[in-house]
Amino acid sequence: MKLLLDQLIDRARVAGLRKTKALEAILTCLVECDRPMTLNEFTQCGHLSQKCDKATVFRLLQKLTDKGMVRRLGLHERAAYFTLLIPGTHHDYLICRDCGNIEPITSPCPVHQLEQKIREETGYTNLYHELEFFGQCPSCASTDQPSKARD
Amino acid sequence: MKLLLDQLIDRARVAGLRKTKALEAILTCLVECDRPMTLNEFTQCGHLSQKCDKATVFRLLQKLTDKGMVRRLGLHERAAYFTLLIPGTHHDYLICRDCGNIEPITSPCPVHQLEQKIREETGYTNLYHELEFFGQCPSCASTDQPSKARD
DNA sequence: GTAATTGCAAATACTTTGCCACGTA
DNA sequence: TACGTGGCAAAGTATTTGCAATTAC
């Protein structure tokens, strides 16, 4: 993973960012955690806590998002989620609506064909998609009142 | 559409809500606008403005979401979006990241099979998904600096 | 009559910005 | 040295709640 971190720092530098402690810390955090996290979660991550102000983390995430190295996700929480964007990689997510657990889906994403079709039919460019499944995880279902079952 | 509105009021009443002016107004708004809207947009809609407080609209949307009549969407804006949820109907969306335009996708959604697979493999229950495509609409692309092209 | 609903105002949560000190190139 | 970056604090925006008055049933 050391290699990946170095690559990311290079990409950031090429994109015009300076190599600072905060940048290294946040990229390390992104690589090690490898799941969408909120701004708050980032600032509490060991690599960042007590080292970087929340505003700094926010501005870095913003810059990295602008440069296409990070993607900002809306996952139904009030807070926005950010995750590392690695070329050639794509993740969809499965989210428990009770405990908020987020897990990446490993199955191949069936949407790319539709994405291509939309590109052709609508003329939209620079397309990407975001796909999330929401439900109740087995653990939350088991602690649930039997009567609460819905749908 | 009158019929649909009446059905919705019925569903709400069966779900335990009282038939109030605010409820009728918000359901009318949901039916007529027929696209995901933010809380702010709702309160500015003619059916609701100067008739319902924002808190009322918020609480009603919350109740309707609980009852499964409305779905709350995270569409990358800071504000949450709400849209009517009609059984047997499902919409994915195409969103311009520049002007924010939201259009429902008419093509059949290719995700249901994967949804079933996830249900079986993970044990998650009450699954549903949210699929959004983000890109730049032709109109925004044409007013863009040629140099701004990315990706 | 009773309990849900509403409006208003205030509290909370998350995000974003201003400003000056600091560190990188 | 020059300019991007960082920390701190304050402002901005969206959401959520408390409470008394009102309304539906």
Side-chain angles (χ1 to χ4, degrees):
Chain A
M1 284 302 106
K2 187 70 170 55
L3 208 55
L4 175 55
L5 178 58
D6 287 342
Q7 286 173 10
L8 289 171
I9 294 174
D10 278 352
R11 282 177 66 194
R13 303 230 34 221
V14 169
L17 300 193
R18 290 189 176 177
K19 179 179 175 181
T20 63
K21 293 210 168 85
L23 178 66
E24 293 184 67
I26 200 172
L27 288 176
T28 303
C29 183
L30 277 162
V31 169
E32 292 196 359
C33 294
D34 191 30
R35 66 183 183 84
M37 296 199 300
T38 63
L39 179 56
N40 242 320
E41 288 175 324
F42 276 108
T43 58
Q44 281 159 16
C45 169
H47 297 289
L48 294 171
S49 71
Q50 287 152 356
K51 294 182 192 122
C52 295
D53 189 79
K54 188 177 285 192
T56 301
V57 179
F58 170 75
R59 281 184 282 221
L60 272 176
L61 285 171
Q62 200 170 244
K63 280 174 198 166
L64 291 170
T65 302
D66 282 349
K67 306 301 183 187
M69 296 181 60
V70 161
R71 177 157 295 164
R72 182 179 183 149
L73 304 171
L75 298 183
H76 271 202
E77 297 300 311
R78 207 157 127 179
Y81 281 75
F82 298 86
T83 191
L84 196 53
L85 194 54
I86 299 184
T89 307
H90 170 72
H91 280 116
D92 303 313
Y93 298 98
L94 175 59
I95 300 155
C96 176
R97 66 171 186 228
D98 283 355
C99 65
N101 180 52
I102 301 171
E103 40 189 295
I105 293 168
T106 51
S107 304
C109 173
V111 175
H112 290 98
Q113 201 176 339
L114 176 57
E115 187 167 305
Q116 179 59 29
K117 187 178 166 199
I118 289 170
R119 205 186 312 271
E120 289 162 4
E121 292 181 355
T122 66
Y124 269 59
T125 47
N126 296 320
L127 269 193
Y128 69 92
H129 70 269
E130 208 178 296
L131 171 59
E132 294 108 30
F133 294 87
F134 296 92
Q136 194 176 31
C137 72
S139 157
C140 284
S142 68
T143 52
D144 222 8
Q145 312 304 323
S147 63
K148 199 196 157 195
R150 289 200 307 112
D151 292 34
Chain B
M1 284 302 106
K2 186 69 170 54
L3 208 56
L4 175 55
L5 178 58
D6 287 341
Q7 287 173 11
L8 288 171
I9 293 175
D10 279 351
R11 281 177 67 195
R13 302 234 32 223
V14 169
L17 300 193
R18 291 186 174 179
K19 180 178 174 182
T20 62
K21 293 209 168 84
L23 179 66
E24 293 184 68
I26 199 172
L27 287 176
T28 303
C29 183
L30 277 162
V31 168
E32 291 196 359
C33 295
D34 191 30
R35 66 182 183 85
M37 297 199 300
T38 64
L39 178 57
N40 242 320
E41 288 175 323
F42 277 108
T43 58
Q44 281 160 18
C45 169
H47 298 287
L48 293 171
S49 73
Q50 287 151 358
K51 293 183 192 119
C52 295
D53 188 78
K54 189 177 285 192
T56 301
V57 179
F58 170 76
R59 280 184 282 221
L60 272 175
L61 285 171
Q62 199 170 242
K63 280 174 198 165
L64 291 169
T65 302
D66 283 349
K67 306 300 184 189
M69 296 180 59
V70 161
R71 176 156 295 165
R72 182 178 183 148
L73 304 171
L75 298 183
H76 270 203
E77 297 300 311
R78 206 158 127 179
Y81 282 76
F82 298 86
T83 191
L84 196 54
L85 193 55
I86 299 183
T89 308
H90 169 73
H91 280 115
D92 303 312
Y93 298 98
L94 174 60
I95 299 155
C96 176
R97 66 172 185 229
D98 284 355
C99 65
N101 180 52
I102 301 171
E103 40 188 293
I105 294 168
T106 51
S107 304
C109 173
V111 175
H112 290 98
Q113 202 175 339
L114 176 57
E115 187 167 304
Q116 180 59 29
K117 188 178 165 201
I118 289 171
R119 205 185 313 270
E120 288 163 5
E121 291 181 357
T122 66
Y124 270 59
T125 47
N126 295 321
L127 270 192
Y128 68 93
H129 70 269
E130 208 177 295
L131 171 60
E132 294 109 29
F133 294 87
F134 296 92
Q136 194 177 31
C137 72
S139 158
C140 283
S142 67
T143 53
D144 222 9
Q145 312 305 322
S147 62
K148 201 196 155 197
R150 287 200 308 113
D151 294 33

